[in-house]
Amino acid sequence: EKLCDQGLVRAIGLSNFRIEDYEKLLQANIRILPIVNQLEVNPWMYRKDTIEYFQQQNMHIVAYKPLLRGKAATDPKVLELSNTLQLSPGQLLIRWLLDKSIIVIPRSQNEERMHQNLHSPDLKPLDSETTHFLDSIMAPDDLANFDEHFSRRAVVDANGPTLALYSGSN
């Protein structure tokens, strides 16, 4: 907030904030609400309730690892669906995220995939059956594994209101 007051930054963003982290932040009587929360979002880590909560708070979601480090290109379910739709796996997942009003910043070193990714917003929205299929890829225990992993690595900043930071260890 001090940096905003000084005109050094225009907005505040969060990274990896869960609903409970954000609610603790709000209890600290912040003056400037964050406008973005960067979360891992892909079919293998799709926390619908978390995404919808932050969007209802008028916060943008930025997806990191939207293609899960190439898993999209090797997952049999995604490959079959992308082939059926005549899309690359990356285009399929980027379109899926865009349809959910999620900001996507994919990473690739392959020029052809960069071009495909760049033009994913030009593709027509996915139908509800495809969307539902991608929404349901995440296995039930994946969320429990995420929560356990997060709780081991998250460090709360004692000098600020519940700023969750990833430590380099573990």
Side-chain angles (χ1 to χ4, degrees), residues 14-15 36-42 60-70 90-91 93-99 101-109 113-114 116-121:
L14 307 173
S15 180
V36 67
N37 190 7
Q38 184 182 38
L39 301 169
E40 178 180 350
V41 186
N42 54 61
H60 299 283
I61 300 297
V62 175
Y64 73 84
K65 291 202 265 184
L67 309 179
L68 195 59
R69 297 185 177 134
Q91 287 175 313
L93 298 190
I94 291 169
R95 186 68 252 177
W96 174 71
L97 291 164
L98 293 174
D99 289 351
S101 300
I102 295 174
I103 300 165
V104 185
I105 306 174
R107 189 179 108 186
S108 179
Q109 295 179 348
R113 284 193 297 268
M114 285 181 203
Q116 291 171 344
N117 294 346
L118 181 64
H119 293 285
S120 295

Side-chain angles (χ1 to χ4, degrees), residues 72-131:
T74 61
D75 184 279
K77 296 175 194 173
V78 171
L79 283 172
E80 181 179 343
L81 184 56
S82 64
N83 287 335
T84 300
L85 297 173
Q86 297 181 328
L87 300 172
S88 72
Q91 287 175 313
L92 174 63
L93 298 190
I94 291 169
R95 186 68 252 177
W96 174 71
L97 291 164
L98 293 174
D99 289 351
K100 297 175 179 304
S101 300
I102 295 174
I103 300 165
V104 185
I105 306 174
R107 189 179 108 186
S108 179
Q109 295 179 348
N110 179 290
E111 191 172 335
E112 180 183 351
R113 284 193 297 268
M114 285 181 203
H115 182 75
Q116 291 171 344
N117 294 346
L118 181 64
H119 293 285
S120 295
D122 301 334
L123 300 169
K124 68 178 184 169
L126 301 174
D127 61 51
S128 60
E129 186 178 332
T130 301
T131 298

Side-chain angles (χ1 to χ4, degrees), residues 5 20 23-25 27-28 43 51 54 60 86 93-94 100 107 118 127 137 169:
D5 293 341
E20 57 268 30
E23 289 177 347
K24 286 179 186 174
L25 184 66
Q27 291 171 3
I51 292 164
F54 284 107
H60 299 283
Q86 297 181 328
L93 298 190
I94 291 169
K100 297 175 179 304
R107 189 179 108 186
L118 181 64
D127 61 51
I137 286 179
S169 60

Side-chain angles (χ1 to χ4, degrees), residues 19 29 70 75 92 119 124 138 145 157:
I19 295 169
N29 296 319
D75 184 279
L92 174 63
H119 293 285
K124 68 178 184 169
M138 188 169 121
N145 292 338
D157 183 348

